[in-house]
Amino acid sequence: MTRFPIISLAWRSIANRRGTALLTILTVAIAMTLFLGVEKVRHGARASFENTISGTDLIVGARSSPVNLLLYAIFHIGDATNNITWETYQQVANAPGVAWTVPISLGDSHAGFRVVGTDNRYFEHYRYAGRRHLQFAAGGPLDDLFDTVVGASVARELGYSLDEEIIVAHGTGRVSFVEHDNNPFTIVGILEPTGTPVDRSVFVSLEAIEAIHLEGPTGAGTSLSMDELRAMDLTPDQITAFLVGLETPVAALRLQRQINTYRVEPLQAIIPGVALSQLWSVVGVAERTLAAVAAFVVLMGLICILTAVLTSLNERRREMAILRALGARPRHVFVLLVSESALLALAGAIIGTGLTYGALSLGAPVLEQRYGVHLSGTLPGLYDLALIGVVTGASAILGFIPAWTAFRNSLADGMTIRT
């Protein structure tokens, strides 16, 4: 026998056992879908995490750990070890090479959401997910002293719309016993969803933060009217942190060193990308564990193929013997079983890849808006083709086990009818 249609015969053999074959292919497809889905979401989550803030060269706060500064200044988790004086902020803001700065003042909350004291430069310069700008879904930036802009999650979860009044409370808990109810804020803007901590923030002006903390004679709150407060000089004495944008990013290290060695008060400047990578190394254990679990699921799918082919060998001894009688050599039988294993894996991997990208195309907008996970590619690429090849090759290697068993079966053993 000079020519043997191995691939064609393997497909026919699979079709002849289509019930078992379909279940095996489905198992591999599900495993492949889970693995690829986890990988895509994992990489998307990391990219979105690292792009929580972009376009900012330095974050400056009181001296502490870089991760702590990042957590309270950007993620609004925890509290600062100290504040920064307004004079120090002004010195850095006016330093050579500094293009812009955005001051941030924290310490208050509304219904469990952090209140961020800042100015309209925040909406102008804050970037996320590859230098995307903040966009307003409704309304616009701060204008009056007691205006406020709320993030998308705040508006959605609390059912807020424009022109509603809200009360800011002292402290960061969901329940507060000190509310600044003498000075309600009016919602003038609602931001588009970003998938970042911006969505869960309430923005007011720095002057408003000063105004609500002015105490009257009894110490129970300000006794001044809103018009009187608007006429006052409410320049803050201190802020919590500030963002820095430079004219040339290459100067970031030089300015960072100058800030970190500032003698007037203890400061710390961090590069956002570096600090985000440090934070991810801590919180990324879960996603690495999930990836390992998904890889084991793929391995179980391959073992399922091995089991299906092995358990069918006794039933197929006569088939192998007939093929030998028709001129197939032992190596043809060996290659046939290896080909069947590979084809089952190939079919499952292709179907699983298709299911993965179909689901990602439908779910990508939801993942980005609700969870901040931006999936960059929704079409298969070289990685996916390589993964299909690896799964197919691994299945072919596992197919050596049943193939070697069939290779050793003799023609007489196959043709013998057992009763």
Side-chain angles (χ1 to χ4, degrees):
M1 189 172 188
T2 57
R3 188 179 182 87
F4 197 70
I6 297 294
I7 301 299
S8 176
L9 187 60
W11 274 122
R12 291 181 183 181
S13 178
I14 290 173
N16 188 53
R17 296 174 290 107
R18 51 185 170 272
T20 304
L22 285 174
L23 288 175
T24 304
I25 291 172
L26 181 61
T27 301
V28 177
I30 293 173
M32 190 74 170
T33 300
L34 178 61
F35 181 79
L36 267 180
V38 168
E39 282 295 289
K40 289 295 179 183
V41 173
R42 186 169 70 94
H43 288 295
R46 177 163 190 169
S48 299
F49 182 86
E50 292 179 346
N51 282 322
T52 299
I53 181 171
S54 60
T56 296
D57 297 302
L58 293 173
I59 303 170
V60 182
R63 189 168 298 165
S64 62
S65 71
V67 170
N68 183 53
L69 174 54
L70 180 73
L71 284 174
Y72 71 74
I74 303 301
F75 291 92
H76 307 154
I77 298 174
D79 297 299
T81 57
N82 206 345
N83 286 332
I84 303 171
T85 63
W86 186 254
E87 291 75 16
T88 294
Y89 162 67
Q90 288 291 336
Q91 286 187 17
V92 178
N94 296 322
V98 174
W100 54 265
T101 57
V102 176
I104 296 172
S105 183
L106 303 170
D108 294 303
S109 65
H110 169 71
F113 295 100
R114 294 296 291 263
V115 171
V116 181
T118 185
D119 55 36
N120 286 328
R121 286 176 292 179
Y122 190 97
F123 311 116
E124 179 185 354
H125 294 295
Y126 191 93
R127 303 283 189 275
Y128 69 100
R131 294 183 175 270
R132 291 189 185 183
H133 293 256
L134 296 178
Q135 302 289 337
F136 283 89
L142 305 171
D143 183 31
D144 187 60
L145 178 62
F146 290 103
D147 284 349
T148 181
V149 172
V150 298
S153 296
V154 178
R156 183 182 67 251
E157 293 182 22
L158 300 181
Y160 286 157
S161 58
L162 294 180
D163 300 324
E164 289 194 48
E165 291 189 345
I166 65 173
I167 302 298
V168 169
H170 185 67
T172 58
R174 183 170 290 274
V175 177
S176 177
F177 298 100
V178 182
E179 293 188 339
H180 305 291
D181 50 3
N182 289 341
N183 308 111
F185 287 81
T186 302
I187 298 175
V188 297
I190 299 174
L191 294 169
E192 290 277 4
T194 64
T196 70
V198 171
D199 294 346
R200 303 184 61 81
S201 302
V202 176
F203 298 94
V204 301
S205 66
L206 291 172
E207 291 78 13
I209 293 292
E210 291 294 307
I212 62 177
H213 290 98
L214 286 175
E215 293 188 342
T218 63
T222 180
S223 58
L224 300 173
S225 69
M226 288 190 177
D227 288 336
E228 289 175 317
L229 288 171
R230 290 185 180 97
M232 294 178 63
D233 179 11
L234 296 172
T235 302
D237 295 325
Q238 297 179 329
I239 58 175
T240 307
F242 58 95
L243 312 180
V244 179
L246 302 176
E247 295 175 356
T248 56
V250 294
L253 291 176
R254 176 180 55 80
L255 183 60
Q256 181 187 29
R257 184 171 59 254
Q258 291 175 355
I259 293 173
N260 289 342
T261 56
Y262 189 64
R263 295 181 179 275
V264 177
E265 60 179 302
L267 298 179
Q268 182 171 36
I270 62 172
I271 298 174
V274 175
L276 283 166
S277 297
Q278 292 175 352
L279 182 57
W280 183 259
S281 66
V282 177
V283 303
V285 176
E287 58 92 20
R288 290 192 293 272
T289 303
L290 188 60
V293 172
F296 275 111
V297 171
V298 174
L299 179 61
M300 293 305 297
L302 296 178
I303 293 175
C304 180
I305 294 177
L306 173 62
T307 304
V309 177
L310 273 175
T311 54
S312 69
L313 280 184
N314 284 334
E315 302 172 2
R316 300 176 63 189
R317 281 193 172 187
R318 183 181 299 276
E319 175 190 335
M320 298 297 110
I322 292 173
L323 289 175
R324 293 281 301 278
L326 292 175
R329 296 179 180 179
R331 59 185 174 86
H332 292 139
V333 175
F334 184 91
V335 174
L336 172 65
L337 292 177
V338 172
S339 299
E340 287 185 15
S341 298
L343 289 173
L344 288 170
L346 177 63
I350 291 174
I351 293 172
T353 302
L355 289 174
T356 300
Y357 281 94
L360 290 178
S361 297
L362 295 175
V366 177
L367 285 172
E368 184 168 2
Q369 291 186 8
R370 297 299 298 269
Y371 303 105
V373 177
H374 176 67
L375 304 178
S376 57
T378 53
L379 291 175
L382 293 177
Y383 174 81
D384 307 290
L385 295 177
L387 185 59
I388 291 173
V390 169
V391 170
T392 304
S395 181
I397 293 173
L398 288 176
F400 283 14
I401 299 173
W404 178 251
T405 303
F407 180 82
R408 294 186 305 171
N409 289 337
S410 66
L411 178 60
D413 182 43
M415 291 296 292
T416 301
I417 300 177
R418 289 179 171 82
T419 61

